[in-house]
Amino acid sequence: ASDEITPSLLKNIEDSRIAIIVFSKGHASSSFCLDELVHIIHYFEEKGRLVLPVFYDVEPSHVRHQNNSYAEALAKHETRFQNNNENMKRLLKWMIALSHAANLSGYHFNLSFS
């Protein structure tokens, strides 16, 4: 399927020394992006490599605790995944990776000027 990570992308991730993950409001709506995040967090942690999160117009706490747009997107995935244990395990991995990545030191770009 087109929403699966290709072996060549996995290899490129594994060959990288630094991963920069850009979190935006729509990030969690993409199962592809979430699967990629899980692979990056798992592999880079195992190898002791640098992961740098960038929060683009989204609060790090919304990513960490899956609030706001992240809660909405994950709820939609959960509805889609009901009655499928493998996909529910995948959802749990996404949530853990989101929390983990949001706890890393990174950059926060807030576009609102209020």
Side-chain angles (χ1 to χ4, degrees), residues 13 19 21 23 34-53 93-94 96-104:
I13 289 169
I21 303 167
F23 292 100
L34 292 167
D35 285 337
E36 186 180 40
L37 172 68
V38 168
H39 189 74
I40 290 169
I41 293 297
H42 172 76
Y43 190 83
F44 275 57
E45 187 174 77
E46 187 179 276
K47 300 296 181 186
R49 296 185 186 160
L50 177 65
V51 176
L52 182 65
K93 286 180 183 178
W94 291 346
I96 292 167
L98 286 165
S99 294
H100 185 89
N103 282 328
L104 299 171

Side-chain angles (χ1 to χ4, degrees), residues 64-110:
R64 183 179 302 112
H65 302 296
Q66 289 101 53
N67 295 332
N68 293 23
S69 65
Y70 280 72
E72 292 167 21
L74 292 170
K76 286 179 184 174
H77 290 305
E78 186 173 6
T79 300
R80 242 177 0 114
F81 290 167
Q82 280 181 335
N83 305 319
N84 184 323
N85 283 340
E86 285 308 306
N87 276 335
M88 290 303 280
K89 288 178 190 173
R90 187 174 165 207
L91 179 68
L92 183 58
K93 286 180 183 178
W94 291 346
M95 295 168 75
I96 292 167
L98 286 165
S99 294
H100 185 89
N103 282 328
L104 299 171
S105 293
Y107 294 97
H108 180 203
F109 297 99
N110 188 346

Side-chain angles (χ1 to χ4, degrees), residues 9-69:
L9 178 56
L10 293 176
K11 181 172 181 353
N12 287 337
I13 289 169
E14 292 168 10
D15 288 346
S16 299
R17 294 184 185 178
I18 299 171
I20 299 171
I21 303 167
V22 178
F23 292 100
S24 63
K25 289 180 178 171
H27 189 271
S29 62
S30 168
S31 56
F32 180 91
C33 288
L34 292 167
D35 285 337
E36 186 180 40
L37 172 68
V38 168
H39 189 74
I40 290 169
I41 293 297
H42 172 76
Y43 190 83
F44 275 57
E45 187 174 77
E46 187 179 276
K47 300 296 181 186
R49 296 185 186 160
L50 177 65
V51 176
L52 182 65
V54 174
F55 302 94
Y56 184 78
D57 200 29
V58 65
E59 292 294 324
S61 64
H62 294 170
V63 178
R64 183 179 302 112
H65 302 296
Q66 289 101 53
N67 295 332
N68 293 23
S69 65

